Amino acid sequence: VQAHVHLCQTIIRGLADDRDVIDWLRERVWPFERAHDAASMAASARLGVAELLLGGTTTVSSMESVHHTDEVYAAADQLGIRGVIGKAIMDRWEPGTEMIGQDTDDAWADVLALHERWHGRADGRIRVSLAPRGVRNATVEMWQRVAALSDADGLTMHTHVNENEAQAARFGATDEGRDIVALARWGALTPRLVMAHCVWLDETERELLVRHGAHVCHCPSSNLKLASGVAPVPEYLDAGVNVAIGADGAPCSNRLDVFTEMQLAALLPKVRLEPRSMPARRVLALATVNGARALGLADEIGTVEVGKRADVVVIRTDRPHVAPLAGSDPADQIVYACRASDV
């Protein structure tokens, strides 16, 4: 289960390298997203879904762009992935990135129309999420609408939080306060909220996160490549926070490869803490049951047991880089040795 991906960005892989997240958005990603038409969005989504399925990701939570999100739902429906997908809701201008999407009522009308058309399609395999792009990409009014609909219909909310240190500090200096403080004030910090990144939470934000039960999605490749930092995942887990994992978008990962993300999630804390800080079985949970919990699907997927959906990945063990198997823990081999091409 990958809990934070942008299928709309797959087609611009390799066109936004070697920038921090602000320049990455302003100079490359946002102009490319605005240039999408229905055909390019469909191609991007199909390419991304194919890569995910071939690499062992059975379920994806994907945040799309402002327009043409129908094409992403259609790709997920046709190709067979389990998708929790949301249009990027953007009705507020964010300084620095120069991004703005739509008028509040127009954006909300799109959200409601997508919900009507797609939520529950394919025997429940396709679901709609509510995805304000970032805490400051949506107005307070929009966040309150999103939180109310999420509460009424049990829909997942999906956003970016405290990815970049300078950005987090700049927003923290406003009257609204830091990201998680603002979300709590607006009624959006709930167990249905999935927050990508969460690299730069201060102590108050961490306490609010634990108290309100929102979920974190760790994106190590993206955070390293964009020089955003490394989220303190072991500390979040030790405090009782549910942490999932995701590759983010192809322009910043650059592969939608859950095996790469698992290996990085295991290795990075060891440098800062100690070798047992993120053992393989803990990391494997990020990519399976924790992701299912984050998306409200833990009763259906995330573990192999009687009564759940058969979202099963089979991994080859007859490759030189996996051998020998005798005496090894399968979780260790999956996290540290296996590759997406072994699926």
Side-chain angles (χ1 to χ4, degrees):
V1 178
Q2 291 204 48
H4 181 67
V5 171
H6 298 272
L7 291 169
C8 64
Q9 295 175 4
T10 317
I11 204 169
I12 58 175
R13 188 189 339 250
L15 299 179
D17 295 330
D18 302 326
R19 290 165 170 80
D20 74 7
V21 69
I22 303 302
D23 291 342
W24 180 84
L25 283 166
R26 185 180 64 244
E27 297 173 6
R28 288 288 192 269
V29 170
W30 181 233
F32 277 121
E33 283 190 24
R34 287 172 59 183
H36 263 307
D37 60 17
S40 65
M41 183 68 87
S44 187
R46 288 197 298 265
L47 178 61
V49 171
E51 182 182 358
L52 290 167
L53 288 172
L54 290 168
T57 294
T58 65
T59 299
V60 63
S61 174
S62 187
M63 179 189 294
E64 302 317 321
S65 198
V66 175
H67 302 295
H68 307 300
T69 303
D70 278 298
E71 303 298 335
V72 183
Y73 289 110
D77 187 11
Q78 292 161 7
L79 293 179
I81 202 164
R82 190 175 301 283
V84 182
I85 299 164
K87 152 198 173 68
I89 302 171
M90 301 168 62
D91 68 330
R92 181 180 183 181
W93 179 70
E94 181 188 338
T97 63
E98 322 310 328
M99 294 193 303
I100 190 167
Q102 296 170 281
D103 172 81
T104 299
D105 288 337
D106 290 343
W108 191 242
D110 283 352
V111 169
L112 296 179
L114 290 166
H115 180 267
E116 178 67 23
R117 283 195 293 273
W118 289 104
H119 190 60
R121 284 277 289 269
D123 192 28
R125 182 167 52 77
I126 307 299
R127 305 193 186 198
V128 170
S129 64
L130 305 173
R133 187 167 197 140
V135 178
R136 315 309 161 119
N137 294 126
T139 59
V140 177
E141 178 185 353
M142 180 61 81
W143 269 110
Q144 291 171 338
R145 291 186 190 186
V146 163
L149 183 57
S150 170
D151 186 53
D153 282 9
L155 302 179
T156 298
M157 296 179 283
H158 184 187
T159 195
H160 297 84
V161 168
N162 286 1
E163 180 176 0
N164 175 279
E165 185 178 19
Q167 194 177 29
R170 182 168 71 251
F171 293 149
T174 67
D175 290 341
E176 291 172 337
R178 292 176 67 91
D179 278 358
I180 288 183
V181 173
L183 289 168
R185 185 176 297 143
W186 302 335
L189 191 67
T190 79
R192 289 175 299 281
L193 177 65
V194 180
M195 302 180 296
H197 307 301
C198 293
V199 177
W200 298 102
L201 304 193
D202 68 11
E203 195 57 41
T204 297
E205 289 181 294
R206 292 191 191 196
E207 291 172 2
L208 285 168
L209 174 59
V210 172
R211 189 185 319 155
H212 289 269
H215 309 269
V216 169
C217 184
H218 184 34
C219 304
S221 288
S222 171
N223 294 157
L224 290 173
K225 189 182 177 199
L226 298 175
S228 299
V230 179
V233 170
E235 289 89 337
Y236 291 160
L237 293 169
D238 289 344
V241 175
N242 183 59
V243 181
I245 205 165
D248 206 346
C252 64
S253 24
N254 283 27
R255 302 183 300 270
L256 307 181
D257 176 0
V258 73
F259 291 87
T260 296
E261 302 307 322
M262 284 192 292
Q263 187 180 68
L264 286 172
L267 297 179
L268 286 168
K270 301 181 191 305
V271 178
R272 181 173 57 87
L273 299 171
E274 52 90 22
R276 290 173 290 275
S277 55
M278 277 297 282
R281 284 191 173 271
R282 198 178 207 191
V283 173
L284 190 58
L286 266 61
T288 54
V289 66
N290 287 17
R293 288 188 189 116
L295 302 181
L297 298 174
D299 290 341
E300 297 183 45
I301 63 169
T303 56
V304 180
E305 56 184 296
V306 173
K308 288 195 176 183
R309 302 278 186 170
D311 292 10
V312 176
V313 175
V314 178
I315 300 172
R316 294 182 62 155
T317 59
D318 61 345
R319 305 291 178 88
H321 59 268
V322 185
L325 292 174
S328 62
D329 185 330
D332 291 343
Q333 298 292 73
I334 291 168
V335 170
Y336 292 117
C338 291
R339 303 171 183 168
S341 57
D342 299 329
V343 173

